[in-house]
Amino acid sequence: MPNDATQAPLSEAFLNTCGAALPADRFLTDPADCLPYGSDNSRRTMLPQAVAIPTSESEVQAIVRACADHQVPLTTRGRATNTVGGTVPVQQGLILSMERMNRLLRMAADDRYAEVEPGMLNADLQKIAGEHGFFWPPDPTSAAYCSIGGNLGCNASGPRAVKYGTCRENTLGITAVDGQGRLLKTGVYTTKGVVGYDLTRLLVGSEGTLGIITSAVLKLTPVPAAKATVRAIYDGIEPAARAIARIMAQPETPCALEFIDRNAIAAIRAGARGTQVDLPDNAGAMLMIEVDGSPHALQAAIDAVSEAASGDGLVELRQATGAEEIAALWATRKALSPALRHIASKKINEDVVVPVSRLPELISGLDELSAQHNVHIVNFGHAGNGNMHTNLLGEPEDMDRMHRCLDDVFDLVLRLDGTLSGEHGVGIEKRPFIEREIPAASLDVMYEMKRVFDPKGILNPGKMLPDRTA
Amino acid sequence: MPNDATQAPLSEAFLNTCGAALPADRFLTDPADCLPYGSDNSRRTMLPQAVAIPTSESEVQAIVRACADHQVPLTTRGRATNTVGGTVPVQQGLILSMERMNRLLRMAADDRYAEVEPGMLNADLQKIAGEHGFFWPPDPTSAAYCSIGGNLGCNASGPRAVKYGTCRENTLGITAVDGQGRLLKTGVYTTKGVVGYDLTRLLVGSEGTLGIITSAVLKLTPVPAAKATVRAIYDGIEPAARAIARIMAQPETPCALEFIDRNAIAAIRAGARGTQVDLPDNAGAMLMIEVDGSPHALQAAIDAVSEAASGDGLVELRQATGAEEIAALWATRKALSPALRHIASKKINEDVVVPVSRLPELISGLDELSAQHNVHIVNFGHAGNGNMHTNLLGEPEDMDRMHRCLDDVFDLVLRLDGTLSGEHGVGIEKRPFIEREIPAASLDVMYEMKRVFDPKGILNPGKMLPDRTA
């Protein structure tokens, strides 16, 4: 159910301006039509008062100007796979849904870039790029149904970031409309360019609070000719954490280095409901290590990461190079997410990051916090970046305890030189904690920057930067 | 000779404040002591009225606050290898020389980063990182004597950027003092992080106009185990340009892809003064292609780039894998820079960039402009990024013609979706052209951003953004 409305009704003047800018089937005001646009994957909901579905830059500009003139909150939405409430219209107002701006504007394979509208799905881009022998490195779990615009807004990444980087390293330029309705063109069509300030990376990861991306020039990477997977199983979490640090300290950077802990393994076994799980009995942690590159170099890469993965506590190490074998090895890992749903009805899913050498301390610290707060914690994640999806699980009546535990988790992460979010973003969920990570002077600059792009404060209000009376 | 002074003498109050913050041997006001700090590699000079040589963040803050309070222009200087006048104190005032803040703060090999002060030389960092099996990808030609702070200020890169990226892709975090004396901490110690706006990349490439970098967390890359070079010689420039596009369209990305044109080859022959030059008589363009990686994959990489390099107009192709053989192949290319000094007494050295598929058009367009303006043009550069060092050569009396030609060169580059500078920066030299590349609304945002960081306009005035009465 949506929360209570707090915003005054939209004015006639505003409705008329928007209605003149967009046809009726792309400017919705009936609550029944608007409701589906009010929630995202955070499972929070707020009823928007209107939904605009633009198909061009100039329509975006018209709607933004109307919102600025009438002080109407505007929340931009891709496909709402965000887990931190980033696209929930907490102050109601208008949802700008980019779903219809989903065209490929240019495929420049010879120049290794694609120019796309923000509503294109990540998977659709991968398909188009793949036909030319390329891919775009960001690959969140939701790739099949999340939009490029949302990826850029959150600087989303996924497992391949360990070798190929995040959105920031794979975006050359952006066109965006700021909170004043100005159309901003940033960046270049080339892999080098130093004329003017870097507004491109500033917009990436700004969660729709600085501008609305209307197109993006994405850097493409050639698809590697070969790929192999190594699965390493350890008798406990700390030997696995030490193995991660060893793998990242040697030159063969894997293209994925995924980790799951003992509790995750237990969840997989429970989820299997008695059927055979392809894991040794004493499995206490598992690493999935993927390497890619030239077929000639693949065995050497497998050997290098296998050697680094080997050490005290290793229970089993398996290598797979064929597509079927690889799929079989990953099947166990892929059983985790569905299995987690059955453990508890409430889940706080974090994505903290620490330098890889601090992972053993993080893991042992989380163990202590789990015991201290009596909260069930399941850890898995993109270990090569030190990015841990720490899941706090419980029932509705445990939520207070879970939140106290989370508070301590964040302190632990910051003590280890880490950051509160690697790829999910701040949204609503992490706003109360942002001041712990970002020093006051840097935060001051961010508020001032926000005022440059959005002096009326209409863009995605209630997200990212905590409220301040300024 | 320095230009005429235009600034009023520094006030007693300002001198006393700075004198209290720094000992006499690190706060210079005698013109004879200050003069060496007034020029950079652009060969422009302006006498600074004072030079401050801080050794700590708090000293930097004290000097910046004094400059802000007394409205004294402040130009930050690393080792002044900048070619566009970036560190020339055009409005006199104070030079802040970072030469003594050159310490390694932390070497975190296990976490693939180094934290350094900005005065450290690029080469010194490479040496330290190399002892741990790592390198920092940016490697400008001046690496032996340029500072990390200067590299970051200009987003400098060099040949390896084609595979490993520029400073922006290889910097995790920064500490900087802004024009109000605020100490800003940006970024993270990890390869992922999405909390707050990306101030790190905003400071990188801002040419000292937004803040003074006091330390940086640099992402390190493992040194590849093996390296090989392929030299390809063509009978003309256009077949070489087409080969570059073919090489960049296939998956084996070279770690350097350098180009020199027919006039550059002629310069090398002239510079050799009758001694034998290791080039076929009909050489009209040369590519130096370097690949690196696992020793097992090296031959496959050599074969792949050699195949892509082959085509119409190829005159000779040679491969080298041993260190001595590689050095011999590079010797011809390295003879170019000294040789260029003998051709003409005046040189305008640009570093324009176009998408690689547009290189043939760029090269033929430059040929036409050379004929049209009767200006000798020599082209070489980092072809894999489409980054061409276009050198306009002549005598003092030709400078007007050379500048008219340059004007047309910039128009040509922008018509080809390119950018005016790939790595040298804007500085003084390219300020008059910045409005041709950056649309008015984006430029407005940059001015507003400048006011956030530096409301008094004291940081490196007269550089990058054109003057505006705002």
Side-chain angles (χ1 to χ4, degrees):
Chain A
M1 276 301 292
N3 302 353
D4 287 346
T6 53
Q7 194 75 10
L10 298 172
S11 70
E12 278 301 310
F14 174 77
L15 293 170
N16 289 341
T17 306
C18 293
L22 295 181
D25 63 333
R26 296 197 281 106
F27 182 65
L28 318 175
T29 52
D30 182 330
D33 295 333
C34 293
L35 185 58
Y37 289 90
S39 53
D40 67 13
N41 200 28
S42 69
R43 303 185 187 192
R44 291 176 182 244
T45 296
M46 177 64 86
L47 179 68
Q49 295 163 285
V51 174
I53 307 172
T55 58
S56 71
E57 254 165 27
S58 57
E59 286 181 356
V60 172
Q61 283 183 285
I63 296 295
V64 170
R65 286 192 188 122
C67 289
D69 289 346
H70 297 272
Q71 197 67 41
V72 172
L74 182 160
T75 304
T76 309
R77 177 186 159 107
R79 293 300 180 103
T81 56
N82 189 285
T83 64
V84 293
T87 67
V88 175
V90 283
Q91 297 185 14
Q92 299 202 294
L94 179 138
I95 284 277
L96 191 71
S97 175
M98 304 304 283
E99 62 196 288
R100 298 278 288 272
M101 287 183 68
N102 60 354
R103 291 172 306 164
L104 174 72
L105 301 176
R106 180 143 56 154
M107 177 70 209
D110 284 353
D111 294 319
R112 295 190 173 190
Y113 74 80
E115 191 167 11
V116 305
E117 288 185 333
M120 177 178 278
L121 299 189
N122 182 298
D124 289 342
L125 169 66
Q126 306 296 359
K127 187 161 173 291
I128 294 164
E131 286 162 9
H132 297 268
F134 290 92
F135 69 105
W136 189 53
D139 62 335
T141 309
S142 52
Y145 41 90
C146 64
S147 72
I148 303 286
N151 295 169
L152 296 174
C154 298
N155 193 26
S157 38
R160 292 194 294 228
V162 62
K163 181 166 180 178
Y164 296 106
T166 69
C167 289
R168 285 205 175 104
E169 289 79 32
N170 291 288
T171 306
L172 302 176
I174 279 174
T175 306
V177 175
D178 79 357
Q180 305 185 51
R182 295 184 290 192
L183 187 70
L184 306 179
K185 216 173 147 35
T186 78
V188 285
Y189 289 98
T190 54
T191 46
K192 276 187 180 175
V194 296
V195 175
Y197 301 141
D198 187 350
L199 304 184
T200 306
R201 278 85 191 173
L202 191 66
L203 287 166
V204 172
S206 66
E207 302 188 12
T209 64
L210 298 182
I212 296 140
I213 295 171
T214 54
S215 68
V217 182
L218 306 175
K219 182 184 167 197
L220 301 178
T221 299
V223 174
K227 197 176 263 197
T229 294
V230 174
R231 188 180 87 169
I233 295 184
Y234 301 86
D235 59 13
I237 286 168
E238 294 189 18
R242 286 192 300 269
I244 293 162
R246 287 197 304 271
I247 293 165
M248 290 306 295
Q250 56 85 44
E252 289 290 352
T253 304
C255 63
L257 175 46
E258 301 292 297
F259 165 90
I260 74 172
D261 77 354
R262 184 186 303 275
N263 289 341
I265 290 171
I268 292 170
R269 289 197 203 279
R273 294 160 194 271
T275 63
Q276 186 66 30
V277 174
D278 175 28
L279 285 170
D281 288 342
N282 57 344
M286 176 169 92
L287 294 186
M288 299 296 298
I289 313 158
E290 202 156 81
V291 290
D292 64 12
S294 149
H296 309 273
L298 205 64
Q299 193 54 52
I302 295 171
D303 294 346
V305 298
S306 298
E307 192 191 322
S310 301
D312 277 357
L314 180 73
V315 171
E316 183 201 280
L317 189 134
R318 280 205 234 162
Q319 303 174 347
T321 49
E324 269 181 50
E325 270 185 300
I326 290 177
L329 272 192
W330 279 93
T332 310
R333 164 67 185 81
K334 293 201 167 153
L336 176 58
S337 283
L340 277 184
R341 292 196 204 112
H342 301 296
I343 293 187
S345 60
K346 288 287 176 185
K347 178 172 85 165
I348 300 179
N349 170 17
E350 290 304 326
D351 76 319
V352 297
V353 192
V354 297
V356 284
S357 77
R358 316 301 292 271
L359 278 173
E361 287 164 87
L362 175 67
I363 296 292
S364 62
L366 290 172
D367 256 4
E368 282 166 32
L369 293 178
S370 168
Q372 182 186 325
H373 292 280
N374 188 23
V375 167
H376 191 62
I377 298 182
V378 173
N379 291 298
F380 61 96
H382 315 305
N385 295 107
N387 188 191
M388 205 49 74
H389 291 309
T390 295
N391 285 260
L392 281 59
L393 302 163
E395 297 307 315
E397 62 272 22
D398 305 326
M399 285 301 279
D400 280 354
R401 223 167 53 226
M402 287 160 68
H403 276 116
R404 282 194 301 273
C405 179
L406 179 64
D407 209 279
D408 285 350
V409 169
F410 286 155
D411 278 344
L412 169 66
V413 165
L414 294 176
R415 266 203 315 278
L416 298 174
D417 284 342
T419 176
L420 303 184
S421 179
E423 53 185 22
H424 291 177
V426 173
I428 304 168
E429 304 286 350
K430 267 167 279 196
R431 279 177 99 210
F433 303 101
I434 199 168
E435 284 162 303
R436 283 197 213 170
E437 174 164 345
I438 301 181
S442 305
L443 211 50
D444 287 344
V445 169
M446 293 182 194
Y447 283 98
E448 291 163 18
M449 212 135 265
K450 165 77 173 168
R451 280 197 290 275
V452 164
F453 284 87
D454 180 26
K456 299 240 178 138
I458 56 164
L459 295 183
N460 212 359
K463 311 295 169 60
M464 196 143 149
L465 300 180
D467 285 329
R468 235 192 208 187
T469 45
Chain B
M1 275 302 295
N3 302 355
D4 288 347
T6 52
Q7 194 75 12
L10 298 173
S11 70
E12 278 302 309
F14 174 76
L15 293 170
N16 288 342
T17 306
C18 294
L22 295 180
D25 63 331
R26 295 197 282 106
F27 182 66
L28 318 176
T29 52
D30 183 331
D33 294 335
C34 292
L35 184 57
Y37 290 90
S39 52
D40 68 13
N41 200 29
S42 68
R43 302 187 187 190
R44 291 178 183 242
T45 297
M46 178 63 87
L47 180 67
Q49 295 163 286
V51 174
I53 307 171
T55 57
S56 71
E57 254 166 27
S58 57
E59 287 181 356
V60 173
Q61 283 183 286
I63 297 294
V64 171
R65 286 191 188 124
C67 288
D69 289 347
H70 297 272
Q71 197 67 41
V72 173
L74 183 161
T75 303
T76 308
R77 179 188 159 107
R79 292 301 180 101
T81 56
N82 189 282
T83 64
V84 292
T87 67
V88 175
V90 283
Q91 296 185 14
Q92 299 202 295
L94 178 138
I95 285 277
L96 190 71
S97 175
M98 304 303 283
E99 62 196 288
R100 298 279 286 273
M101 288 183 67
N102 61 352
R103 290 172 307 165
L104 174 72
L105 301 176
R106 180 145 55 154
M107 177 68 209
D110 284 353
D111 293 319
R112 293 190 174 191
Y113 75 79
E115 192 168 12
V116 305
E117 288 185 331
M120 177 178 278
L121 298 188
N122 182 298
D124 289 342
L125 169 65
Q126 306 297 358
K127 187 162 174 291
I128 294 165
E131 287 162 8
H132 297 268
F134 290 92
F135 70 104
W136 189 54
D139 61 336
T141 309
S142 54
Y145 41 90
C146 65
S147 72
I148 303 288
N151 296 169
L152 296 174
C154 298
N155 194 26
S157 38
R160 291 193 295 228
V162 63
K163 181 165 180 177
Y164 296 107
T166 70
C167 290
R168 284 204 176 105
E169 289 79 32
N170 291 285
T171 305
L172 302 175
I174 278 174
T175 307
V177 176
D178 79 357
Q180 305 186 51
R182 295 185 288 192
L183 188 70
L184 307 180
K185 219 172 146 34
T186 77
V188 285
Y189 288 99
T190 54
T191 46
K192 275 186 182 176
V194 295
V195 176
Y197 300 140
D198 187 349
L199 304 184
T200 305
R201 278 86 191 173
L202 191 66
L203 287 166
V204 172
S206 66
E207 303 190 12
T209 64
L210 297 181
I212 296 139
I213 295 171
T214 55
S215 68
V217 182
L218 306 175
K219 181 185 168 199
L220 301 178
T221 298
V223 175
K227 196 176 265 198
T229 294
V230 174
R231 188 180 87 168
I233 296 186
Y234 301 85
D235 60 13
I237 286 169
E238 293 188 21
R242 286 192 300 269
I244 293 162
R246 287 197 304 271
I247 293 165
M248 290 307 295
Q250 55 85 45
E252 288 289 352
T253 304
C255 63
L257 174 47
E258 301 293 298
F259 164 88
I260 75 173
D261 76 355
R262 184 187 302 276
N263 289 342
I265 290 171
I268 292 169
R269 290 197 203 278
R273 294 158 194 271
T275 63
Q276 186 66 31
V277 174
D278 175 29
L279 285 169
D281 288 342
N282 57 341
M286 178 170 91
L287 295 185
M288 300 295 298
I289 313 158
E290 203 156 79
V291 290
D292 64 11
S294 147
H296 309 275
L298 206 63
Q299 193 54 51
I302 296 171
D303 294 346
V305 297
S306 298
E307 191 190 325
S310 301
D312 276 356
L314 181 73
V315 172
E316 184 201 280
L317 189 135
R318 281 205 232 161
Q319 302 175 347
T321 48
E324 269 181 50
E325 270 184 300
I326 289 177
L329 272 193
W330 279 93
T332 310
R333 165 66 186 82
K334 293 204 166 153
L336 176 59
S337 283
L340 277 183
R341 291 195 204 113
H342 302 296
I343 293 187
S345 61
K346 289 286 176 185
K347 179 173 83 166
I348 301 178
N349 170 17
E350 290 304 327
D351 78 319
V352 297
V353 193
V354 297
V356 286
S357 78
R358 316 301 292 270
L359 278 172
E361 287 164 87
L362 174 68
I363 295 294
S364 63
L366 289 172
D367 255 5
E368 283 165 30
L369 293 178
S370 169
Q372 182 186 325
H373 292 279
N374 188 24
V375 167
H376 191 62
I377 298 183
V378 173
N379 291 299
F380 61 95
H382 314 304
N385 295 107
N387 187 191
M388 206 49 74
H389 292 308
T390 295
N391 286 260
L392 281 60
L393 301 163
E395 295 309 314
E397 62 272 22
D398 305 327
M399 285 301 278
D400 279 354
R401 223 166 54 228
M402 288 160 66
H403 277 115
R404 282 195 301 274
C405 181
L406 180 63
D407 209 279
D408 285 350
V409 168
F410 286 155
D411 278 344
L412 170 65
V413 165
L414 294 176
R415 265 203 315 279
L416 298 173
D417 284 343
T419 175
L420 303 184
S421 181
E423 53 185 23
H424 291 176
V426 174
I428 304 168
E429 306 285 350
K430 266 166 280 195
R431 281 178 98 212
F433 303 100
I434 200 167
E435 285 161 302
R436 283 198 214 168
E437 174 163 344
I438 302 180
S442 305
L443 211 49
D444 287 345
V445 169
M446 293 183 193
Y447 284 97
E448 291 162 19
M449 210 135 266
K450 165 76 174 171
R451 280 197 290 276
V452 165
F453 283 88
D454 179 27
K456 299 243 178 134
I458 57 163
L459 295 184
N460 212 0
K463 310 295 168 61
M464 195 142 149
L465 300 182
D467 285 329
R468 235 191 209 187
T469 45

